[in-house]
Amino acid sequence: MAHPNPIRFGIIGCAEIARKLARAIGLAPNADIIAVGSRSKDKARRFIADNGLSVDYVTAYGSYEEVLEDSRVDAVYLPLPTSLHVRWATAAAGKGKHVLLEKPTALCVSDLDRILEACEAGGVQFMDSTMWMHHPRTGKMTELLADPTRFGQLRTVNSIFSFSANPDFLQNDIRVKPDLDALGSLGDAGWYCIRSILWAADYQLPSKAIALHNPVFNPAGVLLSCSSSLIWDDGKLATFHCSFLEHLTMEVTAVGSRGTLHLSDFVIPFEENSANFSFASDSGFNELVTGWQRLPSQHVVATDLPQEARMVSEFARMVGEIKNSGSKPVSKWPEITRKTQLVVDAVKTSIDKGFVPVDVVG
Amino acid sequence: MAHPNPIRFGIIGCAEIARKLARAIGLAPNADIIAVGSRSKDKARRFIADNGLSVDYVTAYGSYEEVLEDSRVDAVYLPLPTSLHVRWATAAAGKGKHVLLEKPTALCVSDLDRILEACEAGGVQFMDSTMWMHHPRTGKMTELLADPTRFGQLRTVNSIFSFSANPDFLQNDIRVKPDLDALGSLGDAGWYCIRSILWAADYQLPSKAIALHNPVFNPAGVLLSCSSSLIWDDGKLATFHCSFLEHLTMEVTAVGSRGTLHLSDFVIPFEENSANFSFASDSGFNELVTGWQRLPSQHVVATDLPQEARMVSEFARMVGEIKNSGSKPVSKWPEITRKTQLVVDAVKTSIDKGFVPVDVVG
C-alpha cells in the first residue's frame, strides 16, 4: 500500500552503492526517489534506466546543485567519496534537505562536526548509512545484550570485517585513493567494526584506542588492512580487524559476564529475508568436563524488508515527523555517528604515531 | 578388543582433571592404569574407588616416588600444579617413564627445557595434555588450513577462551595461587588460545608478542584475565583473550586469503561424539550486495573416542613404538610444546613490561 505522503529523495552521485539504496528507497513504504544527480546528465539518465526507475517520475540532473535546488526534494542520499562529504552534506543541509550520508561520514571528526552543525542549523535530520543497525536482528540482539541476567556486563568484543578486493578494486576503487577516501579499509570495513563495538558497549566511548601492529598501506599511503584494540576504564576490551586483503569475514563476538553473542554476517546478512545469531547464557561443563551444558542457541530473525529498506524507512519516518508534525530531528543518530568517527580518528592517530595509546576524546 | 600389550600408566597426583584422564586411559584401547600416586595413600585409594578403577589391578601409592619406582609403569600422567612440573617430570624421565604432562607445562621456557632435556636424556616420549589437538575435527581443519586453493595464506587469527570461575575457584583453585600456577589464566585458558594460533600458523613462531591493555590480576598478582596480539614478519596478526572472569567462550576464527574457518568450542567440543566447524571459501556478494554467495558450510566430524582418549591412545602408540620397536621419541610434540611456552613467556613479559613488543626467541 503506497504511503499517502512519502518522503521524496534525491540521490546525489551514482556510485555502485547507490543502486542498492535506490532499490531500498523503492521498497520502503514511506519513501520515493524523485531525482538523481550526477556530474553528467547522461550518467544520471543511465542510472535511472538501469535501476528500473520511471523516467516520467524521476528527474535526471547533470549536477549535484540542481538536486538541492529542486524544492520537491525532502531528503538526499549522498554516496559520494568521503572527501566530498563536507561540501555536499553542508550544502544539502543549507538547502533544508535531510541528509542520509554514506560512511565513513568524514575524514575526521572536525569535518564531521561541520556537517552536523550544518544539519542542526538547518533543522534537518542526519543519519549515516550503516544498514545493519536497522535489521530486526540487531534489535533482538540489543535486547539480549542489555539483559543483566542473560548477558550480564560486557567484558570483551571482537569484530572482524574483511573481504578480498580484486585487482581492479585495489587499483581503482575510490576506497584506495588518498584524495577520495583517505581512510581506506579503516573508514570502510573498519567503520562497521567500530560501530559494532560501540553498539555492544551501549555506545559508551572507549577511553583509548591502541592500534595493533602490521597495518598494510598501499603505495599512496592508504590503509588496506589494520587492527586495533580499544579499552575502557572499567576494564572492558575490544579488538577489531578490517581488511581489503582477506577472505570475506564478518564476525562479531561479544562476551559478557553471563552470556556470549556471536554472529558471522553482521554487516550484510547471508540472506535477505532472515538472519541468525548465536547466543549462550550460563553455559558450563558437564561433571567430567567432557562436554557443555546449556549450549549456545541459534536465533533466527525474519524481516519483511531488507535492512537497507528498513533504514530508509526509519529515516523517512523521522523526516516525516519533522516535516509534518514539527518534531525536532532525532539526536541519537548523529551522536552515534560522531562516536564512531571519534574512534576512527583515534585509531588512525594511533597507527600514524606508531601504535601508541590515543585518548578518545568526545 | 583389548590390546595385547597396553602401555601401563601411573597417575601422579589426584587433581580434578585426573578423573577425566583416568577415564580416557580406560577408554584408550592401548593403555591401562596400573598405579595412582598421591601424597596420601588414602587419597589414592579414594581416587581409585571413585573412578571405578579395579583395586585388584591398580596400585595405590602414598607418594609420587613410589609410582616412579614401580618398574611395571611405562608412562606417567602428571596433573600436578605447574610449580611442581620440573621436579616430577625430570624425576619421571630419569626413571625411564614416558611423560604426559598437564599444561601449562612450565612456569617459563627454561624450566620446560630442563624437562625436555631430561626426557631426551632418558629416551622417553614427552607430550603435553592439550586434548583438542587429537580430535579428528582438528585433523580435518588442519587439512583445510593447508589447502592453498580453499584457504590460501593465513592472515589473521582470533582466539578466545574464557569461563566464569565461581568464587571458590577464584579463592582456592591452584590456578590462582602464585606458588602453584603463577601464570593464572594465561597458563590455563591462554595456553589453549596460543596453541590454536600456532596450530593455525602451521607452528610458525610469531616474531613478537605485544600484550593488550586491561589485564586483571588477583591480589596475589596472578593473572585472571589478559589478552595479547602476536605478529609475524610476513604480516600475519593474531589476537587472543583468556579469562576466568567471563562467560564460557571458546572461539577460533582463522582468516586466510581465500577462506575463513570458525569454531565455537575448540577446547572442549559441545558434545563428545561429534564436533562441528564452519568453513567458507571464495565467498562473495550477490550483484546488489544484498546477500552472500558461497555461504560458510558446516562440517560435522564424528569421533569414536573422546578427544582425551585419542590423545592417550596416540601417546601410548608412540610409547609402544619406543618400547617394542626401538623407535626414537617423536620430536613433534615437545617442539610444539616449547613453541607454545615461548609465546606464553613473551606475552607474560610484555604484560610485565607495560605492553611493549617482546621478541619471541626460539
Side-chain angles (χ1 to χ4, degrees):
Chain A
M1 194 175 66
H3 194 276
N5 197 11
I7 298 304
R8 296 175 306 242
F9 277 79
I11 294 182
I12 289 187
C14 296
E16 194 57 27
I17 184 72
R19 299 187 54 213
K20 181 171 178 175
L21 259 287
R23 173 173 175 262
I25 297 168
L27 289 171
N30 55 349
D32 263 350
I33 301 177
I34 63 157
V36 172
S38 180
R39 281 166 299 174
S40 100
K41 198 164 181 166
D42 266 2
K43 207 174 160 199
R45 280 196 186 113
R46 220 165 33 241
F47 183 90
I48 289 167
D50 288 352
N51 289 282
L53 302 172
S54 158
V55 288
D56 298 331
Y57 193 72
V58 182
T59 309
Y61 288 117
S63 73
Y64 303 157
E65 286 89 347
E66 287 170 280
V67 179
L68 300 184
E69 295 297 339
D70 185 333
S71 62
R72 303 167 307 154
V73 168
D74 298 310
V76 290
Y77 165 61
L78 296 173
L80 298 169
T82 311
S83 60
L84 300 177
H85 284 189
V86 172
R87 175 168 172 201
W88 292 105
T90 58
K95 293 288 181 184
K97 311 301 188 196
H98 304 272
V99 176
L100 179 61
L101 185 60
E102 256 313 318
K103 34 58 49 189
T105 47
L107 294 170
C108 59
V109 77
S110 61
D111 278 5
L112 175 64
D113 282 345
R114 291 169 62 192
I115 295 171
L116 298 182
E117 283 156 18
C119 288
E120 195 164 344
V124 299
Q125 184 65 48
F126 173 92
M127 192 163 81
D128 69 46
S129 180
T130 306
M131 302 169 185
W132 69 267
M133 305 287 299
H134 303 273
H135 197 290
R137 171 174 68 174
T138 305
K140 180 71 191 158
M141 294 189 297
T142 306
E143 277 173 34
L144 285 168
L145 292 177
D147 188 320
T149 307
R150 287 189 283 176
F151 187 73
Q153 299 301 308
L154 178 70
R155 297 280 167 81
T156 311
V157 191
N158 179 252
S159 181
I160 304 175
F161 182 15
S162 63
F163 57 89
S164 182
N166 62 32
D168 180 56
F169 180 109
L170 292 174
Q171 206 66 42
N172 301 315
D173 195 90
I174 61 166
R175 287 168 277 185
V176 300
K177 299 291 185 190
D179 53 334
L180 298 175
D181 254 321
L183 293 167
S185 66
L186 176 62
D188 186 48
W191 178 273
Y192 294 104
C193 295
I194 290 169
R195 174 62 60 85
S196 71
I197 291 166
L198 287 170
W199 162 75
D202 196 22
Y203 303 107
Q204 187 195 356
L205 273 178
S207 58
K208 288 187 193 334
I210 307 147
L212 306 186
H213 290 234
N214 285 1
V216 180
F217 296 89
N218 70 9
V222 175
L223 280 165
L224 302 180
S225 177
C226 67
S227 311
S228 187
S229 63
L230 304 173
I231 59 171
W232 285 255
D233 291 337
D234 67 1
K236 282 196 295 283
L237 171 77
T239 47
F240 74 86
H241 175 69
C242 55
S243 177
F244 294 155
L245 304 176
E246 292 164 32
H247 183 258
L248 180 57
T249 307
M250 275 184 192
E251 295 205 344
V252 175
T253 301
V255 186
S257 50
R258 298 177 152 208
T260 302
L261 174 83
H262 175 80
L263 69 167
S264 295
D265 59 349
F266 81 101
V267 180
I268 295 169
F270 293 137
E271 294 175 349
E272 203 172 59
N273 298 326
S274 81
N276 303 332
F277 65 92
S278 156
F279 188 79
S281 186
D282 197 24
S283 299
F285 298 120
N286 61 13
E287 202 238 334
L288 263 186
V289 195
T290 59
W292 290 44
Q293 289 177 327
R294 291 173 296 280
L295 299 185
S297 52
Q298 295 300 318
H299 297 249
V300 181
V301 182
T303 181
D304 51 343
L305 285 176
Q307 60 184 12
E308 58 274 16
R310 288 177 56 99
M311 175 181 77
V312 169
S313 178
E314 170 63 9
F315 182 72
R317 188 194 63 71
M318 294 186 293
V319 171
E321 291 284 319
I322 297 165
K323 184 180 168 189
N324 304 319
S325 313
S327 297
K328 295 241 175 205
V330 174
S331 62
K332 171 190 165 186
W333 294 108
E335 283 166 11
I336 292 175
T337 302
R338 191 168 190 278
K339 287 179 175 180
T340 311
Q341 188 82 48
L342 279 168
V343 177
V344 168
D345 283 18
V347 171
K348 184 68 168 57
T349 303
S350 180
I351 293 170
D352 291 345
K353 292 192 169 175
F355 319 109
V356 299
V358 171
D359 290 336
V360 179
V361 181
Chain B
M1 194 175 66
H3 193 276
N5 196 11
I7 297 303
R8 295 175 305 240
F9 277 79
I11 296 182
I12 289 186
C14 296
E16 194 59 26
I17 183 72
R19 298 187 55 212
K20 183 172 177 175
L21 259 286
R23 172 172 175 263
I25 297 169
L27 289 170
N30 54 348
D32 263 349
I33 301 178
I34 62 157
V36 172
S38 179
R39 282 167 298 175
S40 98
K41 197 163 181 169
D42 266 2
K43 207 172 161 199
R45 281 197 186 114
R46 219 164 35 240
F47 184 90
I48 289 168
D50 288 352
N51 288 282
L53 302 172
S54 159
V55 288
D56 297 330
Y57 193 71
V58 182
T59 308
Y61 288 117
S63 73
Y64 303 157
E65 286 90 345
E66 287 169 281
V67 179
L68 301 184
E69 295 297 339
D70 186 333
S71 62
R72 302 168 308 155
V73 168
D74 296 312
V76 290
Y77 166 60
L78 296 174
L80 299 169
T82 311
S83 60
L84 301 178
H85 283 188
V86 173
R87 176 169 170 198
W88 292 105
T90 58
K95 293 286 181 183
K97 311 301 187 192
H98 303 273
V99 175
L100 179 60
L101 186 61
E102 257 312 320
K103 32 59 49 190
T105 47
L107 294 170
C108 59
V109 77
S110 61
D111 279 3
L112 176 63
D113 281 345
R114 291 169 62 191
I115 295 171
L116 298 182
E117 283 156 19
C119 288
E120 197 165 342
V124 299
Q125 182 66 48
F126 173 92
M127 192 164 82
D128 69 47
S129 180
T130 305
M131 302 169 185
W132 69 267
M133 305 287 299
H134 302 274
H135 197 291
R137 170 173 68 173
T138 304
K140 180 70 191 158
M141 295 190 297
T142 306
E143 277 173 34
L144 286 167
L145 293 178
D147 188 321
T149 307
R150 287 190 283 178
F151 188 73
Q153 297 301 308
L154 178 71
R155 296 280 167 80
T156 311
V157 191
N158 179 252
S159 180
I160 304 174
F161 182 15
S162 63
F163 57 88
S164 181
N166 62 32
D168 179 56
F169 179 110
L170 292 174
Q171 206 65 41
N172 300 316
D173 195 89
I174 62 167
R175 286 167 278 186
V176 300
K177 299 291 184 188
D179 52 335
L180 298 175
D181 253 322
L183 293 167
S185 67
L186 176 60
D188 186 48
W191 178 273
Y192 293 105
C193 296
I194 291 168
R195 174 63 60 84
S196 72
I197 291 165
L198 287 171
W199 162 76
D202 196 22
Y203 303 107
Q204 187 194 357
L205 272 178
S207 58
K208 287 186 193 338
I210 306 146
L212 306 186
H213 289 233
N214 284 2
V216 179
F217 296 89
N218 72 7
V222 175
L223 281 165
L224 302 180
S225 177
C226 67
S227 311
S228 187
S229 63
L230 304 173
I231 59 170
W232 284 256
D233 291 337
D234 66 1
K236 282 196 295 284
L237 171 76
T239 46
F240 74 87
H241 176 68
C242 55
S243 177
F244 294 155
L245 305 175
E246 292 164 32
H247 184 256
L248 180 57
T249 307
M250 275 185 193
E251 295 204 345
V252 175
T253 301
V255 187
S257 51
R258 299 178 150 204
T260 301
L261 173 83
H262 175 81
L263 70 166
S264 295
D265 59 349
F266 80 102
V267 180
I268 295 169
F270 294 137
E271 294 174 351
E272 203 172 60
N273 299 326
S274 81
N276 303 331
F277 65 93
S278 156
F279 188 79
S281 187
D282 198 24
S283 299
F285 298 121
N286 61 16
E287 202 238 334
L288 262 187
V289 195
T290 58
W292 290 44
Q293 289 176 327
R294 291 173 296 280
L295 299 185
S297 52
Q298 296 299 318
H299 297 249
V300 181
V301 182
T303 182
D304 51 345
L305 284 177
Q307 60 184 12
E308 59 273 16
R310 287 176 57 97
M311 174 181 77
V312 169
S313 178
E314 170 62 7
F315 183 70
R317 189 194 62 72
M318 295 186 293
V319 171
E321 292 283 318
I322 297 166
K323 185 180 166 189
N324 304 318
S325 312
S327 298
K328 294 241 175 206
V330 174
S331 61
K332 172 190 167 188
W333 294 109
E335 282 167 14
I336 292 174
T337 301
R338 192 168 189 276
K339 287 179 175 179
T340 311
Q341 187 83 48
L342 279 167
V343 176
V344 168
D345 283 19
V347 171
K348 183 70 170 56
T349 303
S350 180
I351 293 170
D352 291 344
K353 291 191 169 176
F355 318 110
V356 298
V358 171
D359 290 336
V360 179
V361 181

PDB file of all heavy atoms in Angstrom, chain B residues 49-63:
ATOM      1  N   ALA B  49      38.733 -45.817  43.880  1.00  0.00           N
ATOM      2  CA  ALA B  49      37.338 -46.223  44.103  1.00  0.00           C
ATOM      3  C   ALA B  49      36.359 -45.292  43.391  1.00  0.00           C
ATOM      4  O   ALA B  49      35.430 -45.731  42.699  1.00  0.00           O
ATOM      5  CB  ALA B  49      37.044 -46.251  45.602  1.00  0.00           C
ATOM      6  N   ASP B  50      36.596 -44.000  43.530  1.00  0.00           N
ATOM      7  CA  ASP B  50      35.656 -43.014  42.981  1.00  0.00           C
ATOM      8  C   ASP B  50      35.602 -43.053  41.459  1.00  0.00           C
ATOM      9  O   ASP B  50      34.614 -42.614  40.856  1.00  0.00           O
ATOM     10  CB  ASP B  50      36.056 -41.588  43.397  1.00  0.00           C
ATOM     11  CG  ASP B  50      35.775 -41.328  44.872  1.00  0.00           C
ATOM     12  OD1 ASP B  50      35.133 -42.200  45.507  1.00  0.00           O
ATOM     13  OD2 ASP B  50      36.207 -40.276  45.372  1.00  0.00           O
ATOM     14  N   ASN B  51      36.664 -43.536  40.848  1.00  0.00           N
ATOM     15  CA  ASN B  51      36.713 -43.501  39.387  1.00  0.00           C
ATOM     16  C   ASN B  51      36.523 -44.882  38.761  1.00  0.00           C
ATOM     17  O   ASN B  51      36.830 -45.083  37.594  1.00  0.00           O
ATOM     18  CB  ASN B  51      38.018 -42.849  38.936  1.00  0.00           C
ATOM     19  CG  ASN B  51      37.997 -41.350  39.208  1.00  0.00           C
ATOM     20  OD1 ASN B  51      37.391 -40.596  38.469  1.00  0.00           O
ATOM     21  ND2 ASN B  51      38.613 -40.935  40.304  1.00  0.00           N
ATOM     22  N   GLY B  52      35.989 -45.777  39.567  1.00  0.00           N
ATOM     23  CA  GLY B  52      35.596 -47.083  39.026  1.00  0.00           C
ATOM     24  C   GLY B  52      36.773 -47.935  38.573  1.00  0.00           C
ATOM     25  O   GLY B  52      36.635 -48.788  37.693  1.00  0.00           O
ATOM     26  N   LEU B  53      37.953 -47.664  39.150  1.00  0.00           N
ATOM     27  CA  LEU B  53      39.113 -48.475  38.787  1.00  0.00           C
ATOM     28  C   LEU B  53      39.136 -49.717  39.683  1.00  0.00           C
ATOM     29  O   LEU B  53      38.549 -49.735  40.774  1.00  0.00           O
ATOM     30  CB  LEU B  53      40.397 -47.652  38.967  1.00  0.00           C
ATOM     31  CG  LEU B  53      40.450 -46.352  38.149  1.00  0.00           C
ATOM     32  CD1 LEU B  53      41.658 -45.517  38.551  1.00  0.00           C
ATOM     33  CD2 LEU B  53      40.491 -46.666  36.654  1.00  0.00           C
ATOM     34  N   SER B  54      39.834 -50.745  39.228  1.00  0.00           N
ATOM     35  CA  SER B  54      39.868 -52.007  39.985  1.00  0.00           C
ATOM     36  C   SER B  54      40.955 -51.947  41.049  1.00  0.00           C
ATOM     37  O   SER B  54      42.132 -51.710  40.752  1.00  0.00           O
ATOM     38  CB  SER B  54      40.143 -53.169  39.021  1.00  0.00           C
ATOM     39  OG  SER B  54      40.639 -54.271  39.744  1.00  0.00           O
ATOM     40  N   VAL B  55      40.564 -52.190  42.306  1.00  0.00           N
ATOM     41  CA  VAL B  55      41.571 -52.173  43.373  1.00  0.00           C
ATOM     42  C   VAL B  55      42.523 -53.362  43.239  1.00  0.00           C
ATOM     43  O   VAL B  55      43.633 -53.348  43.767  1.00  0.00           O
ATOM     44  CB  VAL B  55      40.915 -52.188  44.777  1.00  0.00           C
ATOM     45  CG1 VAL B  55      40.260 -50.851  45.063  1.00  0.00           C
ATOM     46  CG2 VAL B  55      39.908 -53.315  44.923  1.00  0.00           C
ATOM     47  N   ASP B  56      42.107 -54.373  42.545  1.00  0.00           N
ATOM     48  CA  ASP B  56      42.993 -55.524  42.360  1.00  0.00           C
ATOM     49  C   ASP B  56      44.074 -55.232  41.310  1.00  0.00           C
ATOM     50  O   ASP B  56      45.143 -55.832  41.335  1.00  0.00           O
ATOM     51  CB  ASP B  56      42.181 -56.744  41.852  1.00  0.00           C
ATOM     52  CG  ASP B  56      41.148 -57.164  42.872  1.00  0.00           C
ATOM     53  OD1 ASP B  56      41.405 -56.968  44.084  1.00  0.00           O
ATOM     54  OD2 ASP B  56      40.079 -57.640  42.453  1.00  0.00           O
ATOM     55  N   TYR B  57      43.768 -54.314  40.432  1.00  0.00           N
ATOM     56  CA  TYR B  57      44.638 -54.101  39.290  1.00  0.00           C
ATOM     57  C   TYR B  57      45.468 -52.817  39.425  1.00  0.00           C
ATOM     58  O   TYR B  57      46.586 -52.736  38.927  1.00  0.00           O
ATOM     59  CB  TYR B  57      43.759 -54.043  38.030  1.00  0.00           C
ATOM     60  CG  TYR B  57      44.525 -54.130  36.746  1.00  0.00           C
ATOM     61  CD1 TYR B  57      45.115 -55.345  36.360  1.00  0.00           C
ATOM     62  CD2 TYR B  57      44.681 -53.020  35.915  1.00  0.00           C
ATOM     63  CE1 TYR B  57      45.831 -55.430  35.183  1.00  0.00           C
ATOM     64  CE2 TYR B  57      45.402 -53.110  34.748  1.00  0.00           C
ATOM     65  CZ  TYR B  57      45.977 -54.317  34.376  1.00  0.00           C
ATOM     66  OH  TYR B  57      46.683 -54.397  33.217  1.00  0.00           O
ATOM     67  N   VAL B  58      44.886 -51.819  40.092  1.00  0.00           N
ATOM     68  CA  VAL B  58      45.558 -50.517  40.198  1.00  0.00           C
ATOM     69  C   VAL B  58      46.108 -50.347  41.611  1.00  0.00           C
ATOM     70  O   VAL B  58      45.368 -50.453  42.601  1.00  0.00           O
ATOM     71  CB  VAL B  58      44.572 -49.374  39.882  1.00  0.00           C
ATOM     72  CG1 VAL B  58      45.279 -48.025  39.942  1.00  0.00           C
ATOM     73  CG2 VAL B  58      43.917 -49.581  38.515  1.00  0.00           C
ATOM     74  N   THR B  59      47.402 -50.097  41.693  1.00  0.00           N
ATOM     75  CA  THR B  59      48.053 -49.943  42.991  1.00  0.00           C
ATOM     76  C   THR B  59      47.951 -48.502  43.480  1.00  0.00           C
ATOM     77  O   THR B  59      48.227 -47.569  42.724  1.00  0.00           O
ATOM     78  CB  THR B  59      49.556 -50.316  42.887  1.00  0.00           C
ATOM     79  OG1 THR B  59      49.653 -51.597  42.277  1.00  0.00           O
ATOM     80  CG2 THR B  59      50.213 -50.326  44.251  1.00  0.00           C
ATOM     81  N   ALA B  60      47.542 -48.339  44.724  1.00  0.00           N
ATOM     82  CA  ALA B  60      47.516 -47.005  45.347  1.00  0.00           C
ATOM     83  C   ALA B  60      48.839 -46.796  46.075  1.00  0.00           C
ATOM     84  O   ALA B  60      49.255 -47.638  46.883  1.00  0.00           O
ATOM     85  CB  ALA B  60      46.353 -46.922  46.334  1.00  0.00           C
ATOM     86  N   TYR B  61      49.470 -45.663  45.729  1.00  0.00           N
ATOM     87  CA  TYR B  61      50.718 -45.320  46.415  1.00  0.00           C
ATOM     88  C   TYR B  61      50.526 -44.023  47.202  1.00  0.00           C
ATOM     89  O   TYR B  61      49.816 -43.116  46.758  1.00  0.00           O
ATOM     90  CB  TYR B  61      51.852 -45.114  45.405  1.00  0.00           C
ATOM     91  CG  TYR B  61      52.349 -46.388  44.755  1.00  0.00           C
ATOM     92  CD1 TYR B  61      52.220 -46.569  43.376  1.00  0.00           C
ATOM     93  CD2 TYR B  61      52.979 -47.383  45.515  1.00  0.00           C
ATOM     94  CE1 TYR B  61      52.703 -47.727  42.772  1.00  0.00           C
ATOM     95  CE2 TYR B  61      53.451 -48.542  44.902  1.00  0.00           C
ATOM     96  CZ  TYR B  61      53.316 -48.707  43.543  1.00  0.00           C
ATOM     97  OH  TYR B  61      53.792 -49.848  42.947  1.00  0.00           O
ATOM     98  N   GLY B  62      51.197 -43.962  48.355  1.00  0.00           N
ATOM     99  CA  GLY B  62      51.096 -42.769  49.202  1.00  0.00           C
ATOM    100  C   GLY B  62      52.187 -41.759  48.923  1.00  0.00           C
ATOM    101  O   GLY B  62      52.435 -40.851  49.722  1.00  0.00           O
ATOM    102  N   SER B  63      52.850 -41.909  47.792  1.00  0.00           N
ATOM    103  CA  SER B  63      53.860 -40.906  47.392  1.00  0.00           C
ATOM    104  C   SER B  63      54.008 -40.955  45.884  1.00  0.00           C
ATOM    105  O   SER B  63      53.651 -41.949  45.243  1.00  0.00           O
ATOM    106  CB  SER B  63      55.212 -41.205  48.053  1.00  0.00           C
ATOM    107  OG  SER B  63      55.806 -42.323  47.434  1.00  0.00           O
TER     108      SER B  63
END
